[in-house]
Amino acid sequence: MSTDHPRNPQGGRIDPTRLFHFCSGMANARFETTFSFSRHRANCPVLCRACGHEIVVAPSAFADVFPLPVTIKEAERRLNCTVCGARRARLIPVPMPAAR
């Protein structure tokens, strides 16, 4: 069993006792296409399942890469890792922090 805790988009660790509260804002959100990230204002960590390289993509950046809506599965197949070149991406929606 892994003791790793999820990471937030800013790189720090998320307190596991607050994880439900952090994610609960997207409980009813459905991420079917790349446009879903901007609609739900969610950052998207992209993880390479081959080498473990991870970047966080802003919702607006997906419109530049995919000008037409593409399914999440298709986007994962199209993205290449900038470190190892593999096409084994995993898109993980994470809600953006609320504006104060």
Side-chain angles (χ1 to χ4, degrees), residues 47-86:
L47 173 68
C48 176
R49 290 180 279 181
C51 71
H53 179 239
E54 182 178 358
I55 61 168
V56 177
V57 179
S60 59
F62 273 110
D64 296 335
V65 177
F66 301 106
L68 298 174
V70 175
T71 65
I72 300 300
K73 293 271 186 204
E74 183 61 27
E76 289 177 341
R77 283 192 290 264
R78 291 185 187 185
L79 295 172
N80 288 8
C81 178
T82 56
V83 174
C84 71

Side-chain angles (χ1 to χ4, degrees), residues 3-52:
T3 58
D4 290 338
H5 298 291
R7 294 184 180 274
N8 69 22
Q10 289 75 31
R13 294 201 180 274
I14 298 172
D15 179 2
T17 60
R18 301 187 75 206
L19 183 60
F20 177 77
H21 176 69
F22 182 72
C23 295
S24 64
M26 292 192 329
N28 296 324
R30 293 187 60 159
F31 288 82
E32 296 171 351
T33 69
T34 51
F35 282 18
S36 301
F37 292 100
S38 6
R39 183 174 45 247
H40 297 295
R41 295 189 323 243
N43 283 322
C44 180
V46 180
L47 173 68
C48 176
R49 290 180 279 181
C51 71

